[in-house]
Each structure stands twice: as C-alpha cells, then as structure tokens.
Amino acid sequence: MLCLCAAALSFMACSDDDDEGGVPNAGVIPSVADPITAIETPWGDTEHYVYDEQGRLVSGNDNYGSLSITFSPLAFTYVSTSDGYTERWDNVSTDTRGYMTRARMTYTEEDGYTSSGNLRLTYNADGYLSRIEGTGTEAGVTYTDAYTFEYEDGKLMRVVNDFSDPEYGNEQYTYTYTYAAAGEYPNSGIPFYESNIDMSLPFMFLGGYAGRHPSELPVACREAYSGEDGNETSAYAYDFRYEWTYDAQGRVATFAETDENGYQNRAYTYHYGNEGTEANAQAAAVQRATVGTGVKKRPLSVRQRIMAKRARLAR
C-alpha cells in the first residue's frame, strides 16, 4: 500500500546522537530522471505516483488514501480514507545526497489515539541503505527494532530484521537473495525490498530518499523466521522465486513472485514517466498482501501480537 507504515517499523524512538551528514530539513531533494508513475497488478489494483517538473516525487494515491510531500520543510503525510488514520513524517534530516537519515513519525487514529517515535537510517560508503534502527515505547514497554542490509558488488545479498521486547519476546526475520549470472537482471530502479520485507516504504525508494537501488535484481529469496513469546518458540522458512521482464528501453516491465507451492503471491506491472500522465491522476486500489486462492498464510508474528495488545492497553 501507499501508506508510510511507520507502525511496521514499530514507531522507533532513537537516541539524540548526530547522524552521519544529517542536516535537519536539508534543501537537497532527490529527483528521478525516468520515474515510475504507476504500479498495477493483474487483479486490477493500481497505485499512482506524481512528480513535479524537477523530477521530485510530490504525491501518490490509491483507493485507500493519499500521500503528499511538502519541501519547506520536508514532510510526508498519508491520509487513509478507508481506515481513518493519518500518518505524518516530519523533522526530517537528510545527508548531502538528499538521503533521509532521520524523521519523527506520528500516527493518529480516528478516535484520537496517537503514537509517535523517530526513525534513523544509515548508509554504506557506496550510498546503499545499510541499516534502519531505533527503539520505542508503547503502553509503557520499551522495545528495539533494527533492519540490517548486506551487499556484495552492489547486489543486496541479505536483510536481517531483529526485534526484541523484554515483556513479550524476540523475533528475527532473515531474507537471503539468490542471483542469476552477473548482468542478466540489471536493476533499472525497482525498490524490490517491499516484495518480501514488511517495511512498506516504497515512496522512500521511488523518490530517491533511501539511497541507491541495488545494481541487480534477484531471482530467488529464502525467508527464515524465528521467534519466542514467553515459553513458546516458533520458526519457519519459505522459498520464493522471482521473475522479471524488461521493456524496449531496458526498464523493468513486470515482476512476479511465486512461492514454493507454485502459487503466485505478487505480480506488478510498472509504468514510467514517458508513458503519459493520464493514469497518474486517477485514484485506484493497491494490494500488496498475499493474493490468490490457496496461498500459504504466514503465521502471526510476535510483533503483530505485541502491537495489537499494546494498542488495546493504550486505550
């Protein structure tokens, strides 16, 4: 979905240490030369992104709500018309390249319930996102959450998500990517992280706010999970296959993800800036979750149980 989905990152509140090169409300705004203006699925769902004359991402929309970006100061706001909440990122810091290093997040529900925290991002020497980290407090309990990204020759090889909570337990997701021969599937600018990771921050990658895109696209991924909740432990591992096609300009045209049982979980068709802007102005639906009959449902994670329980306690 278009939503900023800071809740997926657990509303992290981090320390006040300075980020490397981070400047509050820096004037550097990334621009995209040939931007993705729409992403659609075979099931009729589409999300749209709008860019200004300078190539800056300024807004997006779907049938669930709308995203808007302001630049003075830099801030991101998502308003959900379907679930009645507002999510806002402000107090944004960026480095000299325009990559986001810190932001304050505020989540407000229709009944007035509000959560807030801070997000911190760091990058390696080559400009690739290397870590998202922080801690937060919900209903009086402090927890930690971190994503670590590992690269090799510009390819994203592994992502590890560690979540720790002193009251409810710990969990870890590990995503390990496999590639074809070098250069067979070059990345023309696709933020494929969100295909597996429950981060749901596509606007950051599409808008150029979260570092460089990995140089190549994987053909497979293994997702491994382990978690503990008191005396209860659980673990699983799933394998996924990726398929990519390209258009005449060498840009990624389609993406499909198939699980180990042969079910297609996700499929996207990408549209770009030089294909026209009529569709870009239309509101449409988007569905990022598992789609299709018989698709294996992933078990409810420790974090999902924690967040649901804390939301109830906070009321």
Side-chain angles (χ1 to χ4, degrees):
M1 295 173 66
L2 276 174
C3 60
L4 307 186
C5 287
L9 290 168
S10 305
F11 277 118
M12 301 180 291
C14 62
S15 69
D16 292 329
D17 295 338
D18 290 337
D19 296 300
E20 298 85 346
V23 179
N25 297 317
V28 178
I29 304 297
S31 61
V32 184
D34 190 10
I36 294 174
T37 55
I39 304 174
E40 63 178 331
T41 77
W43 304 278
D45 305 317
T46 308
E47 61 183 19
H48 300 280
Y49 294 94
V50 180
Y51 304 78
D52 64 13
E53 294 81 2
Q54 302 175 52
R56 304 178 302 180
L57 178 63
V58 295
S59 66
N61 60 69
D62 58 33
N63 277 359
Y64 298 109
S66 61
L67 165 73
S68 61
I69 300 175
T70 57
F71 302 115
S72 298
L74 182 61
F76 309 86
T77 303
Y78 178 80
V79 179
S80 170
T81 55
S82 60
D83 296 322
Y85 68 84
T86 298
E87 220 171 306
R88 180 172 172 81
W89 294 24
D90 57 15
N91 283 15
V92 176
S93 294
T94 63
D95 63 16
T96 56
R97 299 161 294 191
Y99 300 160
M100 186 186 300
T101 58
R102 180 178 294 176
R104 179 179 64 187
M105 303 176 291
T106 304
Y107 175 93
T108 305
E109 293 190 9
E110 214 168 20
D111 62 4
Y113 172 74
T114 299
S115 295
S116 63
N118 294 289
L119 173 69
R120 181 176 178 177
L121 301 87
T122 56
Y123 305 85
N124 66 18
D126 297 317
Y128 296 111
L129 179 64
S130 60
R131 190 169 177 82
I132 303 177
E133 63 177 359
T135 60
T137 301
E138 191 79 24
V141 178
T142 299
Y143 51 89
T144 61
D145 199 7
Y147 288 84
T148 302
F149 302 79
E150 300 175 8
Y151 301 84
E152 183 179 302
D153 298 327
K155 296 182 292 187
L156 179 63
M157 304 303 297
R158 195 165 76 132
V159 179
V160 179
N161 172 213
D162 288 297
F163 179 81
S164 178
D165 183 285
E167 183 177 358
Y168 291 98
N170 308 301
E171 65 177 2
Q172 182 181 82
Y173 290 89
T174 300
Y175 305 89
T176 304
Y177 295 98
T178 301
Y179 292 81
E184 186 170 349
Y185 293 100
N187 188 0
S188 61
I190 300 300
F192 70 88
Y193 303 97
E194 57 136 349
S195 297
N196 289 89
I197 303 168
D198 190 18
M199 251 169 43
S200 191
L201 303 176
F203 81 96
M204 289 176 55
F205 297 100
L206 290 173
Y209 291 100
R212 298 173 59 187
H213 294 299
S215 59
E216 298 191 31
L217 296 169
V219 295
C221 174
R222 163 154 283 215
E223 174 189 326
Y225 168 84
S226 62
E228 61 180 45
D229 184 358
N231 296 323
E232 178 185 346
T233 61
S234 59
Y236 68 78
Y238 294 150
D239 290 306
F240 300 93
R241 186 178 72 252
Y242 295 162
E243 296 180 7
W244 308 89
T245 66
Y246 294 81
D247 63 17
Q249 287 74 45
R251 304 169 303 191
V252 174
T254 65
F255 162 78
E257 176 192 275
T258 305
D259 71 13
E260 55 196 8
N261 296 316
Y263 294 108
Q264 187 177 83
N265 292 338
R266 302 175 180 89
Y268 301 129
T269 297
Y270 298 94
H271 299 276
Y272 296 84
N274 64 9
E275 296 180 7
T277 59
E278 181 178 353
N280 201 36
Q282 300 173 357
V286 61
Q287 219 170 17
R288 291 186 56 258
T290 300
V291 179
T293 303
V295 173
K296 181 185 294 183
K297 299 297 183 181
R298 303 177 188 181
L300 194 66
S301 70
V302 173
R303 177 167 47 208
Q304 288 170 319
R305 294 196 297 272
I306 292 170
M307 299 304 289
K309 181 171 183 179
R310 293 208 177 127
R312 292 194 298 271
L313 292 175
R315 297 174 191 275

